[in-house]
Amino acid sequence: MFVCCCPQQTVFREVDLHSETNNNEHHTSEISVDQLIVRRGQSFKLTLKLVQPFNPGFDQLTMTAETGLFPSEDKGTMSHFGFPDKVLHSGSAKAVWKAELHKSSSPETGVLTLSITPPADTPIGEYKLTAKLQDKEKMLANLSVLFNPWSPDDWVFMPNEAERQEYVMNEQGIIYRGGGNYIVPMSWDYGQFEQGMVEICMKILDRNLKHWINPADDASARSDPIYVSRVVSAMINSSDEGGVVTGNWSSNFNGGVPPTHWNGSYAILKQWYKTYYQSVKYGQCWVFAGVMCSVMRLLGIPCRVVTNFQSAHDTNKNLTIDNYFDYNGVRETATNDSIWNFHVWVEGWMRRPDLADDGKYDGWQVVDPTPQERSDGLFCCGPASVAAILNGETDLKYDVPFVFAEVNADAVYWLVRKNGSKLKIFSDTDTVGQYISTKSVGSNKRMDITNTYKHREGTAKERNVFRYALDKIQNGDMLIRNAAGTDGEFVSRTLERSHDAPGTDIVASSAPQPQLLIRFEEVSKPENGKDVSLKMILSNDSSFTRTFSVNISVQAMKYTGQPAGNIQTEVTEQKMLPGKDLVIPILVPFSTYHKYMIQSKTMAVSAVVTDLQNEYNTYLAAHRVVLANPPISITVSGESRVNEEMTAEMVFMNPVNETLRNCSLSLSGSGLIIGEETVK
């Protein structure tokens, strides 16, 4: 790109920013070939054509790069440099840029081709670059500076090229939802290189609360990916003023669209920007994570979306999640603690010299934009080192105890008597934190990364780390809840688990009495729009007939683990013959569950079994059913060519024996569709 100088500025004749070449070399040409976008720690080329020869022994070209409202050498947001390298600058100056004469220069004819390098600790942002020669000053360029995962000196350096292509350059991804036994891949269009994304992402940084309080310090701190990722985490949600997406976990989405409407980030970010920063309605965890991943990749921080199945939300930091059931098997109303079917966050790749000098906590860091708990006064979470989580280092910043609980908390199950007292049935150390998933590098396969967060369940190492983490929390003066609860006695129970469906069937039995094992089996694959058929199988080693009262409850559950409605309950009396299994069929018709499951995908089937010969012997079993959605198929007709129209067919088969009305289909695709199209 050439910039001509004004006639009165006779020293400078022309400026060539070489935007296309520079952007190609800086891996930013996917964003633009016209706008100069460079990565720190790497040189870019600029050519100045002067109206007179340049004599390095006599002339001094002084250049200034500055960003932010209050640029300062001491804060690294202003740099004076030039050619020859004799420019005076502050002794405490940070992030000093450098200019060197390129071999293609011809000073004697007034042509200066310069290699300009912003150092690897330069604050990212939008910069103004000016030059001064003799007494004439010239505005050379407005440019953007990003993090550089290709530079070994940058804290976000990622050594593997295939991983850089996946975690920085790939605009398409997969987000996993569903349940542990039914993991559903969802395509997500990150669109981080779509038109205007640099301006949108820089505006996100400028709208953050810390920038309002102290814009000079905020602009300076943008040299640090730890700081930037924390800012982005807070800005993606709208729980603090100015955020991009409004969360909504109810069934009322008036004033916006349901979170399930979205299949990409760009439409959301573009709407936020075009409406002068009005939060977009509505999102849930996978939407927050998808949008954050787009922003992080654009800024140059390698990033991936991660799903944790059976994810704990531990509000009081005691690494315990309490679940309460009444004698009908109905899960009690919402509690502060919960276990989500799944929760989605992102991991960003960066060094953590703030935690250790030896790099032991470098690498992937959990950053979670879903507003769950406040951290330093704001709804944000992380970055929390995955290595620290694995080893139970719950005293390290940021928010390691909260994330450790999400993947490692123990679940305690209580039966609530009619008088309000609580009977502790059992503690489950296995359920929380399963099938932690992300998209594989270079393919659409699911990659299980559970072993990066926790040691294998049931091993001594896993329990030792849990106790170590809990001890660190206790030493931090965090209260640990009494294991017996607040107002009820508890009876020690032993846990038995079905081996064919780990983590789904939770069963307790009284230790002194003959064991009663309970498991659930799905007669057919549960699908939304069809009747759900299960059977509950009771087994025992008793030599005599036993009579049970069996209370079975089916509830609709939000994916956050909170009840959304009671679908049906059934109370029967059953006889169990010695040496025989007792099989109880459970049928949940579509006509019965439909209205409760419009905004839910999971049913909680709970059973309370009472021995009528000894009513003190009470057993509890719980099972989650995740409904599979009918598929959408996409078929492209003919050959696809760049810059030519293409035709694709979307097919959705209605599984219900009635007409569906007021349907909509949302379409997005980087490089194919501008923003989003919705077909009614």
Side-chain angles (χ1 to χ4, degrees):
M1 180 173 70
F2 288 92
V3 179
C4 294
C5 302
C6 298
Q8 63 267 30
Q9 292 181 315
T10 55
V11 178
F12 299 99
R13 188 174 75 226
E14 203 171 80
V15 181
D16 186 357
L17 302 180
H18 303 286
S19 295
E20 183 171 358
T21 300
N22 285 323
N23 289 6
N24 271 315
E25 293 178 353
H26 285 250
H27 310 279
T28 60
S29 59
E30 289 286 337
I31 309 172
S32 174
V33 293
D34 300 317
Q35 176 188 1
L36 183 58
I37 305 167
V38 301
R39 297 189 186 275
R40 64 187 196 173
Q42 180 178 343
S43 64
F44 64 93
K45 187 167 67 173
L46 179 148
T47 297
L48 286 176
K49 294 186 178 180
L50 309 176
V51 298
Q52 62 190 43
F54 183 88
N55 184 347
F58 176 77
D59 293 322
Q60 176 64 57
L61 176 69
T62 301
M63 307 179 77
T64 301
E66 56 186 29
T67 186
L69 298 176
F70 305 102
S72 160
E73 283 190 284
D74 293 347
K75 292 184 179 294
T77 50
M78 175 191 288
S79 182
H80 297 302
F81 62 104
F83 177 77
D85 187 16
K86 299 177 183 178
V87 178
L88 296 177
H89 48 72
S90 166
S92 57
K94 298 178 181 177
V96 179
W97 293 40
K98 182 173 65 175
E100 296 177 317
L101 198 65
H102 195 272
K103 61 183 180 181
S104 63
S105 295
S106 176
E108 63 277 8
T109 62
V111 178
L112 299 181
T113 299
L114 301 171
S115 291
I116 299 174
T117 306
D121 60 349
T122 301
I124 65 164
E126 295 175 305
Y127 278 78
K128 181 173 70 172
L129 184 63
T130 59
K132 185 176 182 180
L133 179 60
Q134 300 170 3
D135 60 346
K136 301 297 183 183
E137 191 167 344
K138 169 62 184 168
M139 170 70 182
L140 299 181
N142 289 307
L143 69 152
S144 301
V145 179
L146 306 178
F147 291 110
N148 192 352
W150 283 265
S151 170
D153 296 325
D154 198 312
W155 284 10
V156 303
F157 173 63
M158 177 171 269
N160 184 283
E161 176 61 19
E163 292 183 342
R164 289 193 294 253
Q165 290 300 318
E166 181 67 50
Y167 299 132
V168 180
M169 302 301 292
N170 195 353
E171 293 190 80
Q172 306 297 325
I174 292 174
I175 299 176
Y176 295 96
R177 299 186 298 170
N181 291 332
Y182 177 61
I183 296 176
V184 185
M186 173 191 182
S187 295
W188 190 267
D189 183 17
Y190 294 118
Q192 69 266 31
F193 302 139
E194 289 292 284
Q195 184 177 5
M197 277 292 287
V198 171
E199 292 80 6
I200 292 171
C201 294
M202 294 302 174
K203 183 58 69 174
I204 287 174
L205 298 183
D206 287 344
R207 298 287 298 180
N208 94 82
L209 187 61
K210 294 178 181 179
H211 186 76
W212 289 100
I213 295 171
N214 192 326
D217 283 352
D218 174 72
S220 176
R222 295 179 191 178
S223 63
D224 183 357
I226 302 167
Y227 176 86
V228 170
S229 63
R230 196 159 169 78
V231 164
V232 175
S233 168
M235 278 300 299
I236 296 302
N237 70 77
S238 69
S239 295
D240 300 303
E241 188 174 349
V244 175
V245 180
T246 299
N248 187 340
W249 286 266
S250 74
S251 56
N252 181 359
F253 300 110
N254 290 337
V257 297
T260 51
H261 168 88
W262 306 109
N263 55 21
S265 306
Y266 183 57
I268 295 171
L269 290 163
K270 185 179 178 182
Q271 180 178 326
W272 175 80
Y273 189 74
K274 292 291 187 183
T275 58
Y276 297 98
Y277 327 120
Q278 297 296 311
S279 296
V280 178
K281 300 176 180 179
Y282 294 102
Q284 290 174 3
C285 68
W286 69 92
V287 179
F288 291 115
V291 173
M292 181 165 183
C293 186
S294 301
V295 175
M296 295 275 276
R297 288 185 181 184
L298 182 281
L299 295 177
I301 301 176
C303 188
R304 63 187 184 185
V305 174
V306 172
T307 302
N308 177 39
F309 292 96
Q310 298 286 70
S311 186
H313 183 181
D314 179 23
T315 58
N316 54 3
K317 299 181 177 66
N318 69 344
L319 304 188
T320 299
I321 307 298
D322 292 313
N323 299 271
Y324 299 96
F325 296 81
D326 66 17
Y327 265 79
N328 291 320
V330 175
R331 190 180 295 259
E332 293 282 275
T333 54
T335 59
N336 290 331
D337 287 357
S338 58
I339 299 176
W340 297 25
N341 279 3
F342 65 92
H343 182 50
V344 186
W345 55 68
V346 305
E347 290 177 353
W349 179 273
M350 64 195 72
R351 295 175 191 157
R352 292 301 301 271
D354 58 322
L355 301 182
D357 295 330
D358 60 0
K360 65 186 293 186
Y361 300 115
D362 294 354
W364 290 116
Q365 315 286 323
V366 172
V367 195
D368 190 351
T370 298
Q372 297 182 89
E373 302 291 329
R374 290 190 183 274
S375 176
D376 291 341
L378 297 175
F379 278 102
C380 64
C381 179
S385 166
V386 174
I389 296 164
L390 176 66
N391 293 310
E393 304 286 356
T394 49
D395 56 332
L396 297 180
K397 59 183 181 184
Y398 293 91
D399 309 305
V400 172
F402 184 78
V403 183
F404 182 88
E406 288 184 301
V407 300
N408 257 315
D410 287 351
V412 179
Y413 292 81
W414 301 81
L415 203 58
V416 181
R417 296 191 177 101
K418 293 180 180 178
N419 64 5
S421 64
K422 300 177 179 67
L423 176 73
K424 182 179 179 182
I425 299 295
F426 60 89
S427 295
D428 178 6
T429 64
D430 298 353
T431 292
V432 169
Q434 297 183 9
Y435 306 108
I436 303 175
S437 303
T438 191
K439 177 187 175 296
S440 293
V441 174
S443 81
N444 289 331
K445 294 180 179 179
R446 184 181 72 88
M447 180 166 63
D448 193 302
I449 57 173
T450 308
N451 63 349
T452 67
Y453 280 85
K454 58 195 295 188
H455 299 280
R456 188 166 57 86
E457 293 288 1
T459 63
K461 180 70 172 176
E462 187 273 332
R463 282 291 91 187
N464 288 338
V465 168
F466 181 89
R467 286 189 287 268
Y468 175 74
L470 189 58
D471 181 64
K472 280 184 172 288
I473 291 174
Q474 289 174 320
N475 288 334
D477 297 325
M478 297 180 184
L479 295 177
I480 302 302
R481 199 180 322 177
N482 188 315
T486 55
D487 59 348
E489 60 176 316
F490 76 87
V491 178
S492 176
R493 301 285 179 169
T494 59
L495 173 68
E496 300 290 342
R497 178 175 297 286
S498 164
H499 295 289
D500 59 338
T504 58
D505 300 349
I506 301 166
V507 185
S509 58
S510 177
Q513 298 297 322
Q515 291 292 303
L516 180 67
L517 305 182
I518 308 173
R519 71 180 189 275
F520 292 90
E521 291 184 2
E522 295 172 353
V523 175
S524 57
K525 180 181 178 181
E527 293 186 27
N528 199 357
K530 298 181 179 180
D531 295 350
V532 174
S533 180
L534 311 168
K535 54 185 178 182
M536 186 173 74
I537 303 170
L538 288 70
S539 306
N540 82 113
D541 56 2
S542 174
S543 59
F544 55 88
T545 299
R546 302 176 71 183
T547 305
F548 297 107
S549 171
V550 180
N551 292 33
I552 298 174
S553 166
V554 181
Q555 290 177 283
M557 303 294 291
K558 299 177 182 178
Y559 86 95
T560 57
Q562 303 291 2
N566 297 328
I567 297 173
Q568 68 182 37
T569 57
E570 182 181 4
V571 182
T572 61
E573 186 174 303
Q574 303 282 345
K575 288 188 181 296
M576 189 173 190
L577 301 177
K580 300 287 186 181
D581 287 348
L582 175 61
V583 180
I584 301 174
I586 303 171
L587 180 66
V588 189
F590 170 75
S591 58
T592 302
Y593 74 70
H594 171 60
K595 66 179 180 180
Y596 298 100
M597 297 292 291
I598 293 175
Q599 299 299 336
S600 299
K601 290 290 180 289
T602 304
M603 296 177 185
V605 182
S606 308
V608 175
V609 179
T610 304
D611 190 336
L612 294 181
Q613 280 79 29
N614 186 347
E615 295 189 0
Y616 285 101
N617 293 328
T618 303
Y619 307 85
L620 171 67
H623 179 76
R624 293 193 181 198
V625 176
V626 180
L627 299 181
N629 278 327
I632 297 176
S633 67
I634 304 175
T635 305
V636 178
S637 304
E639 188 176 24
S640 302
R641 295 178 179 272
V642 175
N643 295 324
E644 292 186 10
E645 283 190 358
M646 58 182 288
T647 301
E649 182 182 63
M650 321 287 178
V651 177
F652 171 80
M653 181 68 71
N654 177 11
V656 183
N657 291 324
E658 58 184 79
T659 301
L660 300 179
R661 305 184 188 279
N662 300 321
C663 302
S664 65
L665 179 69
S666 301
L667 306 173
S668 68
S670 296
L672 298 172
I673 298 170
I674 298 175
E676 180 186 68
E677 291 186 9
T678 301
V679 180
K680 297 291 184 181

